Amino acid sequence: ASATPDDLTDKLWGMHNTGQNGGKVDADIDAPEAWAIHSGRKDAPVIAVIDTGVDYNHPDLKANMWVNKGEIPGNGIDDDGNGVVDDVHGFNAFANSGNPMDGHSHGTHCAGTIAGVGNNGQGVTGVMQEAQIMAVKIFADSGSTNAAAIIRGINYATQMGARITSNSWGGGAANQGIFDAFNSSPALHIMAAGNSSGNNDTRPHYPSNYELPNNVAVAASDRNDNKASFSCYGEKSVDIAAPGRDIYSTVNGGGYASKSGTSMATPHVAGVAGLVASAFPDA
Ligand code: CA
Ligand code: CA
């Protein structure tokens, strides 16, 4: 870990914007300034990435994956009795299995922004250079899901002690069961505001519009500190904006790619929340 990690590439304008590629100097989250104080730790509070899964074998993520110490890998037994067999790095809530491998790339991208392994001489650094990422897969690799899978995923994160959840997903009508799952969790829930460029005050977007004491709705900004054109917004319903256009991060299969969306802004906020929780565990 370092205040100036060797993998803070020019592509990571959201972490540190020096005006590269026509951006605005300091339109970023001030990551180096934070890292001078704290850059994470291997036993940091657990962050659940509730998404399409995570490539837990990615060389820039593997060391920062949460490990369920109560589970013996690959023995076909639910050793810790939590209802899921061989859930070593998280839960596949869609398929009801212990394997949350990402076959899509979206969740792996989000995980890399939160906690790509920092200062390891390759790829990217996350907002947290050291962390514990729990993979909670609520989508099939095709991107489809259902309320029951989403609820199972949220409840697993709660049961297994996630302090923060990162939710780069949304759409559809409000759902009482999903609301209840979030509401019964003591974690801080970071939620994407959506990409339809609408005003969420007048056209609610879920889950980010749920009236909860412990959620944060995130819009997307660009490298010039403007709202990204696609980003939803809302004076009452959206809490904060974070970098979400042309975000470079990990993808499944050990690779890297740039993506845009409030999906990419959300993990910047989850990472910052994780740094705070790591530096100040009693907060
Ligand atoms: Ca288990
Ligand atoms: Ca790295």
Side-chain angles (χ1 to χ4, degrees), residues 7 60 116-125 256:
D7 41 16
D60 229 0
V117 176
N119 207 36
N120 66 344
Q122 59 182 308
V124 296
T125 179
Y256 300 87

Side-chain angles (χ1 to χ4, degrees), residues 46 65-74 77-91 98 132-135 156 159-161:
V46 174
M65 292 304 301
W66 169 74
V67 175
N68 180 2
K69 294 185 176 65
E71 197 68 30
I72 298 165
I77 297 168
D78 178 16
D79 299 288
D80 66 350
N82 69 349
V84 186
V85 173
D86 292 338
D87 52 322
V88 178
H89 296 301
F91 177 39
Q132 295 195 82
I133 293 293
M134 175 193 288
Y156 178 89
Q159 177 188 8
M160 299 309 286

Side-chain angles (χ1 to χ4, degrees), residues 56 229 231 239 283:
Y56 46 76
S229 54
S231 181
D239 300 299

